[in-house]
């Protein structure tokens, strides 16, 4: 009896090729497309996912492949789980990562449970560039073959119970190879450009997005780390830790955002060396591999960041402090800290602070 797999069919070349490969391998393939927002256009020349056009493209692909296809409207869930998280995070002075939260609570985590319970699927497949393997006596996620496209970082918060149901047909391919497969087999979206932006902001900066929602930004003081007031900021939502451009203040040396202080509505700035730290703290940690099995640990504080080697780590209650082998520039609080052992994803948490 052939295994049934639900494919998260976004209407892009990656998920469409994943569905094609699975059908070729003999799976019973069902395409599911999620309608998550009503954003159809980007205010810059970049593609966003989850638009009406994407849904229509997904329908074309499903028809071309001869597979069942469902469109599920989860806009309310997405608004509650992801958009509100994004808004509240920025208002709290953080730099939230909505894509990782979406994977945990909607696109991967919730869809896997829906596929199993409602569609009686054995697996959920996506077009992520991720590998799976068996280590430590369990299924694990690993970095994809294409190091420029590896997306394991975004799945660091997905629950352990979901991992066993996930398969990634593109893990052993490069983006060029995937596009070539799509073109060779005349998949309708083979020439479609990639999506780059956060889907619901339509290419807007956080500042622009908040203004579009009529959420006022509260101006405040820009303060040098020495205590000297240098000017006024537009609202803490417009800045992130490590930012240099757009501060609009004068100083004898280039200044960077060192910290955001939402309690007093202060933007703390200083010279680049003030960004250096020897540790980072992550909370709400999601263990994909038990901590007692960790060795040779490295961490990644943003997508495509070069992994940072860890000297040691200290787990207390709900947080883990990671001590760097060499000082690093601060990671932005609110971002995801993904933890690896070589190319194996061990888990992840939300960055609380870089001290």
């Amino acid at each position: 009896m052939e295994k049934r797999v639900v494919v998260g069919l976004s209407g892009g070349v990656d998920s469409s090729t994943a569905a094609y490969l699975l059908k070729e391998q003999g799976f019973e393939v069902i395409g599911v497309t999620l309608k998550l927002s009503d954003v159809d256009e980007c205010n810059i020349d970049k593609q966003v996912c989850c638009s009406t056009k994407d849904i229509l493209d997904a329908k074309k692909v499903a028809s071309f492949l001869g597979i069942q296809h469902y469109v599920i409207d989860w806009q309310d869930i997405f608004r509650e789980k992801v958009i509100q998280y994004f808004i509240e995070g920025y208002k709290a002075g953080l730099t939230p990562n909505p894509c990782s939260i979406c994977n945990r609570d909607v696109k991967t985590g919730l869809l896997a449970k829906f596929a199993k319970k409602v569609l009686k699927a054995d697996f959920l497949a996506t077009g992520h560039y991720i590998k799976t393997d068996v280590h430590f006596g369990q299924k694990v996620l690993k970095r994809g073959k294409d190091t420029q496209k590896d997306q394991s970082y975004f799945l660091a918060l997905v629950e352990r119970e979901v991992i066993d149901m996930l398969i990634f047909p593109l893990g052993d391919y490069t983006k060029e190879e995937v596009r070539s497969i799509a073109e060779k087999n005349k998949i309708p979206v083979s020439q479609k450009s990639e999506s780059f932006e956060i889907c619901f902001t339509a290419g807007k900066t956080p500042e622009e997005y908040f203004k579009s929602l009529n959420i006022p930004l509260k101006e405040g003081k820009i303060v040098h780390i020495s205590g000297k007031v240098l000017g006024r900021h537009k609202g803490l939502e417009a800045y992130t830790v490590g930012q240099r451009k757009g501060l609009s203040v004068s100083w004898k040396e280039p200044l960077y955002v060192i910290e955001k202080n939402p309690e007093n509505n202060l933007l703390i700035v200083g010279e680049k060396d003030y960004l250096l730290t020897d540790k980072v703290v992550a909370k709400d940690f999601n263990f994909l591999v038990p901590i007692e099995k960790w060795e040779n640990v490295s961490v990644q504080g943003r997508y495509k960041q070069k992994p940072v080697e860890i000297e040691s780590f200290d787990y207390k209650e709900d947080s883990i402090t990671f001590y760097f082998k060499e000082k690093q520039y601060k990671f932005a609080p609110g971002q995801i800290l993904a933890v690896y052992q070589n190319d194996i994803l061990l888990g992840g948490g939300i960055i609380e602070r870089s001290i």
Side-chain angles (χ1 to χ4, degrees):
M1 183 176 177
E2 60 185 15
K3 294 284 189 177
R4 176 177 293 179
V5 57
V6 165
V7 179
L9 204 58
S10 68
V13 66
D14 293 335
S15 62
S16 300
T17 305
Y20 167 81
L21 290 171
L22 289 168
K23 187 177 180 187
E24 288 294 296
Q25 292 167 21
F27 286 92
E28 178 192 353
V29 179
I30 298 174
V32 170
T33 303
L34 302 179
K35 182 171 177 57
L36 301 178
S37 75
D38 56 5
V39 173
D40 281 334
E41 294 181 349
C42 203
N43 69 352
I44 55 177
D45 186 25
K46 285 188 178 179
Q47 173 81 14
V48 293
C49 69
C50 309
S51 68
T52 301
K53 183 181 184 304
D54 291 315
I55 293 173
L56 293 175
D57 284 342
K59 285 180 177 291
K60 289 179 186 176
V61 170
S63 176
F64 174 79
L65 295 176
I67 62 174
Q68 293 183 65
H69 180 242
Y70 301 95
V71 177
I72 305 174
D73 190 333
W74 278 355
Q75 290 185 80
D76 290 344
I77 296 172
F78 184 75
R79 190 178 301 112
E80 176 189 349
K81 297 289 188 180
V82 181
I83 296 179
Q84 277 304 119
Y85 177 88
F86 179 84
I87 292 171
E88 291 169 9
Y90 266 106
K91 289 173 74 173
L94 304 173
T95 305
N97 188 311
C99 297
S100 294
I101 298 302
C102 183
N103 274 300
R104 181 187 71 187
D105 293 342
V106 187
K107 273 189 176 180
T108 304
L110 185 59
L111 183 55
K113 294 170 185 176
F114 177 88
K116 183 176 183 178
K117 184 175 181 180
V118 179
L119 298 177
K120 309 302 179 185
D122 299 288
F123 303 105
L124 170 68
T126 73
H128 286 105
Y129 288 79
I130 300 172
K131 291 182 182 182
T132 61
D133 205 344
V134 177
H135 285 277
F136 315 109
Q138 64 181 50
K139 186 175 183 177
V140 296
L141 303 184
K142 299 176 69 174
R143 294 187 186 277
K145 172 185 173 181
D146 190 334
T147 57
Q148 295 302 308
K149 286 290 295 178
D150 167 55
Q151 294 163 309
S152 57
Y153 173 83
F154 292 114
L155 267 64
L157 301 185
V158 172
E159 296 172 283
R160 171 69 247 177
E161 66 180 90
V162 171
I163 300 300
D164 289 333
M165 193 177 171
L166 301 179
I167 54 177
F168 304 98
L170 308 187
D172 287 311
Y173 293 93
T174 65
K175 179 69 181 191
E176 291 73 21
E177 289 169 339
V178 167
R179 180 111 27 208
S180 177
I181 291 170
E183 291 172 349
K184 180 180 178 181
N185 293 283
K186 297 181 171 52
I187 296 173
V189 294
S190 62
Q191 300 298 321
K192 189 172 181 177
S193 60
E194 291 188 80
S195 58
F196 292 97
E197 297 302 308
I198 296 172
C199 59
F200 59 89
T201 63
K204 296 182 179 71
T205 64
E207 178 187 0
E208 293 168 339
Y209 181 66
F210 273 72
K211 287 181 178 178
S212 74
L213 298 178
N214 295 315
I215 298 176
L217 303 187
K218 185 179 178 182
E219 292 186 4
K221 296 176 182 178
I222 298 178
V223 181
H224 187 267
I225 201 163
S226 66
K228 181 178 176 61
V229 177
L230 301 181
R232 304 280 295 176
H233 66 73
K234 298 178 286 186
L236 294 180
E237 296 88 345
Y239 307 88
T240 190
V241 170
Q243 179 177 330
R244 176 183 172 186
K245 296 181 179 179
L247 299 181
S248 302
V249 293
S250 298
W251 193 251
K252 55 191 174 183
E253 294 183 47
L255 295 176
Y256 299 78
V257 175
I258 305 300
E259 181 185 346
K260 297 197 287 185
N261 183 329
E263 292 80 11
N264 300 303
N265 196 27
L266 301 177
L267 188 70
I268 312 299
V269 299
E271 291 80 359
K272 195 172 186 179
D273 282 353
Y274 285 107
L275 283 171
L276 289 171
T277 181
D278 60 1
K279 55 184 174 288
V280 63
V281 180
K283 64 177 182 177
D284 300 331
F285 208 87
N286 178 52
F287 291 96
L288 296 180
V289 173
I291 195 168
E292 58 269 18
K293 297 183 179 181
W294 291 10
E295 294 179 355
N296 303 319
V297 171
S298 64
V299 298
Q300 187 175 326
R302 63 180 185 275
Y303 181 46
K304 291 191 176 181
Q305 179 189 37
K306 183 179 178 181
V308 176
E309 292 186 347
I310 296 302
E311 184 71 46
S312 62
F313 52 86
D314 184 19
Y315 180 41
K316 290 183 179 178
E317 297 178 355
D318 189 38
S319 68
I320 308 180
T321 302
F322 295 90
Y323 298 89
F324 305 136
K325 286 188 176 181
E326 298 179 359
K327 285 194 172 185
Q328 303 292 323
Y329 291 114
K330 288 184 176 183
F331 298 169
Q335 285 287 294
I336 304 306
L337 190 75
V339 183
Y340 292 87
Q341 180 171 314
N342 299 317
D343 60 350
I344 299 172
L345 181 63
L346 301 176
I350 297 172
I351 296 171
E352 186 173 22
R353 61 189 184 278
S354 286
I355 307 169

